[in-house]
Amino acid sequence: MKVQELISGLSGGAFDGTLARLYGTGERTILRQRARYISAVENFSRLFPECGEIGVFSAPGRTEIGGNHTDHQHGCVLAAAVGIDVIAIVGEGDPGLIRIQSEGYPVDEISLESLEPVESEKGTSAALIRGIAAKFAEMGVELAGFNAYTTSDVLTGSGLSSSAAFENLVGTIIDQRFNGGAAGAVKIAQIGQFAENVYFGKASGLMDQMVSSVGGFVSIDFADPAQPEIRKVDMDFSGAGYSLCITDTKGSHADLTSDYVAVPEEMKKVASELGKEVLREVDEEEFYKAIPELRKTCSDRAILRAAHFFGENRRAVEQAEALENGDTEEFFRLVRESGDSSYELLQNVYSPSKPDQQQIPLAIMLSKRILNGAGAVRVHGGGFAGTIQAFVPNYLAQAYAEEMDRVFGLESCQVLSIRPVGGTELELP
């Protein structure tokens, strides 16, 4: 479609049905998204005035619901795509150059003639773009250059996986424009993980990419990481009378790499002592019988973290079943149990190197006080600093958000919807 055609369609409400599906049906929400998309189109047009035909793409952030630190042990996860995303306006460009201008950042320019990893690019968005393009090229996809302008409301460090949303966005653009959509959601997620592991230099699991790519509530079994079992879970959460609230407690992620790395390392150490590569391969009862011997070679914390894995892996499956059955009380009981396990066994609610900085425990304490036994609250994502997740009755949602904002700063708390679709190209109805 043409730039003016898209702007007219947005202004006139032609896209309102699509926007409602992605972000929710509230009038203010629709008006905000109209304005956001129009602004993105106008910025693209200023940056790339020579582009005629354009496309519009979106990829969501995600929230982990069950399975805290289970994916890297080939475990089970329950997660959901949420109604905040990164969007891109895309048009033709130099045939040999991918050029992506992300709002607030320098432009990334990737030559299609040089798709090998670049050491100096590690940790940058350019590395992700190059890695994704390289994997598609390796698959035999005939690539061409393009121009894109992106804007995101999945804030970096929010625990909602801005990096996976960006990877999914780039993968969806390339798959739709040059591959006829043949790769599909699962493969796009795997390509994003490849780029993050090999080009970006971060040893991430596959959960973030998979949920952002597939959309909705997603139950994932990573017993075979190369071919994970993926099952969508149907549940109208807002219709059940609850809101999903994510609060950024503003804890610093600086110098926490060693904390994050220690979790999979310690779990794998326990597995190794029991003759396996990951804990998913270990019999739970054999683990408990072996604890006296394990203490000779593994730390007590490693043993506690392994115990967390076994319980959390089981809970992720039970949570999905509870949602499918519409049993919110059982679901919330399992969420509370998950939060307690992360707090006591996994021990990822604050960094042991910064015992005076306990924003997550503070937020959990305040949440429990407000909820007063209703809903549930837990640490969200990797932990140690960052965000908490709360399931809040709709009648308490505004008061809950106001209290979180009062303590942690304005707009710290986001009240989110569950998004039913993952990475997608928007088309004019």
Side-chain angles (χ1 to χ4, degrees):
M1 69 190 85
K2 304 289 187 183
V3 167
Q4 195 53 52
E5 182 183 13
L6 177 57
I7 291 176
S8 297
L10 287 163
S11 300
F15 282 96
D16 283 1
T18 299
L19 296 178
R21 188 166 181 240
L22 297 182
Y23 306 106
T25 58
E27 183 179 356
R28 291 178 62 185
T29 297
I30 298 298
L31 291 174
R32 176 183 175 274
Q33 293 300 333
R34 279 192 198 176
R36 178 177 175 234
Y37 275 78
I38 290 171
S39 176
V41 176
E42 291 174 341
N43 286 332
F44 173 88
S45 187
R46 281 194 292 269
L47 287 166
F48 310 112
E50 70 281 5
C51 286
E53 292 290 321
I54 60 172
V56 185
F57 295 81
S58 162
R62 69 94 188 100
T63 180
E64 171 207 284
I65 293 171
N68 197 208
H69 281 282
T70 55
D71 59 328
H72 50 67
Q73 298 301 299
H74 298 188
C76 298
V77 171
L78 177 66
V82 292
I84 56 176
D85 63 351
V86 53
I87 63 174
I89 312 300
V90 182
E92 292 183 359
D94 185 315
L97 190 68
I98 294 176
R99 186 186 298 136
I100 298 181
Q101 174 70 67
S102 295
E103 182 181 21
Y105 294 91
V107 65
D108 289 315
E109 295 187 348
I110 305 300
S111 171
L112 295 176
E113 295 181 359
S114 178
L115 293 178
E116 296 298 315
V118 177
E119 187 66 27
S120 62
E121 274 185 356
K122 285 194 171 180
T124 69
S125 55
L128 296 174
I129 300 164
R130 193 183 303 276
I132 292 166
K135 181 55 75 171
F136 273 103
E138 182 184 298
M139 292 161 49
V141 176
E142 188 174 340
L143 301 177
F146 60 86
N147 295 325
Y149 175 82
T150 78
T151 181
S152 178
D153 55 11
V154 189
L155 300 178
T156 301
S158 66
L160 297 168
S161 200
S162 57
S163 59
F166 182 79
E167 293 158 19
N168 182 22
L169 182 76
V170 175
T172 301
I173 292 169
I174 292 176
D175 191 41
Q176 292 295 328
R177 291 182 74 87
F178 309 116
N179 195 36
V186 172
K187 188 63 179 178
I188 288 171
Q190 293 170 335
I191 291 170
Q193 184 198 25
F194 164 81
E196 189 161 319
N197 291 173
V198 178
Y199 281 69
F200 188 86
K202 181 181 178 183
S204 68
L206 186 58
M207 180 190 72
D208 293 353
Q209 293 88 349
M210 192 66 72
V211 178
S212 176
S213 191
V214 171
F217 280 105
V218 185
S219 176
I220 310 173
D221 187 337
F222 288 110
D224 180 359
Q227 293 183 310
E229 292 184 14
I230 302 161
R231 182 165 55 92
K232 277 204 154 189
V233 179
D234 292 326
M235 172 63 177
D236 180 5
F237 208 74
S238 60
Y242 290 87
S243 298
L244 170 63
C245 298
I246 302 293
T247 299
D248 181 1
T249 67
K250 307 295 172 58
S252 172
H253 287 78
D255 304 321
L256 294 180
T257 300
S258 61
D259 292 314
Y260 293 123
V261 170
V263 174
E265 282 186 348
E266 291 181 6
M267 288 185 178
K268 287 182 178 180
K269 171 67 173 173
V270 173
S272 177
E273 292 299 318
L274 294 169
K276 305 297 182 181
E277 184 178 345
V278 292
L279 288 173
R280 182 63 180 274
E281 300 169 354
V282 174
D283 180 82
E284 184 175 359
E285 290 306 313
E286 290 300 315
F287 158 73
Y288 280 104
K289 289 178 184 177
I291 285 178
E293 285 299 312
L294 288 172
R295 293 191 72 204
K296 297 175 182 178
T297 54
C298 300
S299 68
D300 288 341
R301 187 176 70 174
I303 294 169
L304 289 169
R305 284 175 165 171
H308 164 82
F309 167 81
F310 290 113
E312 188 73 352
N313 194 54
R314 187 167 50 250
R315 274 188 296 272
V317 176
E318 293 171 351
Q319 285 175 314
E321 292 173 351
L323 285 177
E324 287 181 321
N325 294 332
D327 189 347
T328 54
E329 286 307 308
E330 173 65 3
F331 172 73
F332 292 142
R333 185 191 71 78
L334 291 164
V335 172
R336 289 191 289 268
E337 194 175 278
S338 170
D340 290 343
S341 182
S342 292
Y343 206 136
E344 298 165 7
L345 303 181
L346 185 60
Q347 300 178 38
N348 69 332
V349 295
Y350 65 90
S351 172
S353 66
K354 302 175 181 178
D356 58 329
Q357 298 179 27
Q358 298 197 24
Q359 293 92 339
I360 287 176
L362 177 61
I364 290 173
M365 178 273 291
L366 291 169
S367 297
K368 288 181 177 179
R369 180 174 181 270
I370 298 167
L371 293 172
N372 193 29
V377 61
R378 67 193 280 269
V379 63
H380 179 247
F384 299 107
T387 58
I388 65 161
Q389 174 189 77
F391 297 93
V392 182
N394 287 339
Y395 68 86
L396 276 178
Q398 182 176 345
Y400 178 86
E402 289 174 354
E403 178 66 1
M404 293 295 105
D405 286 354
R406 184 181 72 85
V407 176
F408 296 103
L410 190 62
E411 297 183 349
S412 294
C413 182
Q414 298 185 70
V415 182
L416 303 177
S417 61
I418 303 299
R419 168 167 155 159
V421 296
T424 187
E425 180 176 10
L426 281 69
E427 296 185 5
L428 191 65

